[in-house]
Amino acid sequence: MTQASAAPKDNRQRYGRHDREIIALAVPAFGALVAEPLFVMVDSAIVGHLGTAQLAGLGVASGLLTTAVSVFVFLAYATTAAVARRVGADDLSAAIRQGMDGIWLALLLGAAVIAVVLPTAPALVEMFGASDAAAGYAITYLRISSLGIPAMLVVLAATGVLRGLQNTRTPLYVAIGGFVANGVLNVGLVYGADLGIAGSAWGTVIAQCGMAAVYLFVVVRGARRHGASLRPDAAGIRACAQAGVPLLVRTLSLRAILMIATAVAARIGDAEVAAHQIILALWNFLAFALDAIAIAGQAIIARYLGANDAEGARAVCRRMVQWGIASGVTLGLLVVLARPLFIPLFTSDAAVQDTALPALIIVALAQPICGIVFVLDGVLMGAGDGRYLAWAMLLTLAAFTPAALLVPTLGGGLTTLWAAMTLMMTVRMLTLWLRSRSGRWIVTGATR
């Protein structure tokens, strides 16, 4: 066999190995990601039958809770990268020890959030503009549900541990089990025990605590098997917190972008903000599919770097980008084809439909860009390049804010706003692509 014919065969074999790894991690990760927002959907469906005020109260409280928890998503991201590096270095004991530091940090942060939310719940609900009829229900749900925040943060950190161990199946099973338990408990406590909205909150807290208990059982069993200490380590917890700060800045900047976009849509008009919410729901769902690939990238890249395989990390990065582009093109085509069917599922208002349809074309065209962004985001997270990600997102926020605020000033509509959102994703893509091309993210070894 000649060298020319051997090279393509070697490439096919390498790509095939990478593809199998990506699929094995990304598919279960996607299932777990989709299961998470179903908690709120189940709660909404059950509480909605109690009355409009109760549903409005749930909406305000769940919005606050979702924001509080999403801020700490770095617990999953940073833990995934740190644990996977240790796995690549063939030190499972240190990998699980690293994961335990993340779990201890989650418990500390969860306790701090409870200490803040319980006394300030009425002020937080008022700040979100809840009506007098809904405020009482929102405060009740928020105070009870806040007791489950430590469990939710433990789930985030423990999910990161298992992803770092190249295991995304267990999080999928736990998410499915938690979803089923949440539904059963909500029905039983809301209607069977006649606890109303408080029953829904308690049902969710119990389900979350059950999920956290399962994760802890799995991690503790692994720690005992590999001789890893379970005791809190101040230095390790502090290191986890320091690694999470840049990712926290990144997450807050992204949340600010989404809030600005919604505020601008509200300034344009009622039909526009209604259509914006529908499109944003679809955009978030599409993000789950792309984020699943990014999660696979985090775990695989970190493992290669931990094994001192810089060339392998580069090869996986290239393949992940190809996956991101292909996934984005596929999702974009699906959006275009399903566009006439998707919008009527959410509204029968002709004005809202007419506003949303052209904006969805922009969303569809942006999906290949989104695919690249999510993948490279995952690659750099896996490499522990959080500081660059923080600065890149701050730059993106600075570029997006004036563009978005000019939309109503210049008489633009929702389609123009989503063009600004596409500009935002393009800036993200350029900053991430430049970093990936530079190779400065490639730092090998068990720790960065």
Side-chain angles (χ1 to χ4, degrees), residues 55-316:
L55 184 59
L58 172 65
V60 171
S62 63
L64 286 163
L65 289 165
T66 300
T67 300
V69 174
S70 65
V71 164
F72 299 113
V73 73
F74 70 84
L75 288 167
Y77 294 155
T79 305
T80 297
V83 171
R85 273 185 177 267
R86 299 284 190 177
V87 170
D90 199 25
D91 191 349
L92 289 178
S93 177
I96 296 175
R97 172 66 261 177
Q98 190 96 41
M100 285 304 305
D101 292 336
I103 290 173
W104 281 112
L105 177 61
L107 287 170
L108 292 173
L109 290 173
V113 172
I114 290 178
V116 171
V117 171
L118 284 179
T120 62
L124 291 171
V125 168
E126 183 180 358
M127 184 176 65
F128 263 58
S131 66
D132 292 339
Y137 296 114
I139 293 169
T140 297
Y141 191 93
L142 180 60
R143 279 181 165 158
I144 296 173
S145 293
S146 69
L147 301 177
I149 286 179
M152 295 169 73
L153 299 188
V154 166
V155 167
L156 283 177
T159 299
V161 175
L162 295 182
R163 288 173 181 171
L165 294 171
Q166 318 295 295
N167 176 3
T168 55
R169 288 185 178 272
T170 299
L172 171 61
Y173 300 148
V174 175
I176 293 173
F179 169 70
V180 173
N182 180 61
V184 172
L185 287 166
N186 267 259
V187 171
L189 294 174
V190 171
Y191 298 115
D194 198 25
L195 294 179
I197 195 170
S200 176
W202 280 117
T204 300
V205 169
I206 294 170
Q208 289 162 348
C209 290
M211 293 171 66
V214 172
Y215 273 119
L216 289 175
F217 172 79
V218 172
V219 174
V220 168
R221 184 179 61 181
R224 289 175 175 169
R225 182 185 304 134
H226 296 287
S229 174
L230 297 174
R231 295 179 180 178
D233 176 65
I237 295 172
R238 187 165 54 251
C240 284
Q242 290 172 347
V245 169
L247 296 180
L248 175 61
V249 172
R250 168 200 168 275
T251 300
L252 290 174
S253 299
L254 181 57
R255 296 291 300 184
I257 287 171
L258 297 177
M259 290 175 64
I260 290 170
T262 300
V264 169
R267 287 178 61 189
I268 299 173
D270 290 344
E272 283 76 11
V273 72
H276 176 73
Q277 290 301 318
I278 295 171
I279 295 172
L280 195 59
L282 174 63
W283 195 71
N284 287 331
F285 181 79
L286 297 173
F288 288 139
L290 299 174
D291 202 26
I293 304 173
I295 287 169
Q298 291 173 34
I300 297 170
I301 288 290
R303 193 187 77 228
Y304 272 94
L305 293 176
N308 294 308
D309 188 353
E311 185 51 43
R314 288 190 184 93
V316 172

Side-chain angles (χ1 to χ4, degrees), residues 18 120 138 157 241 335 350 392 433 442 447:
H18 294 332
T120 62
V335 170
W433 178 78
I442 300 177
T447 58

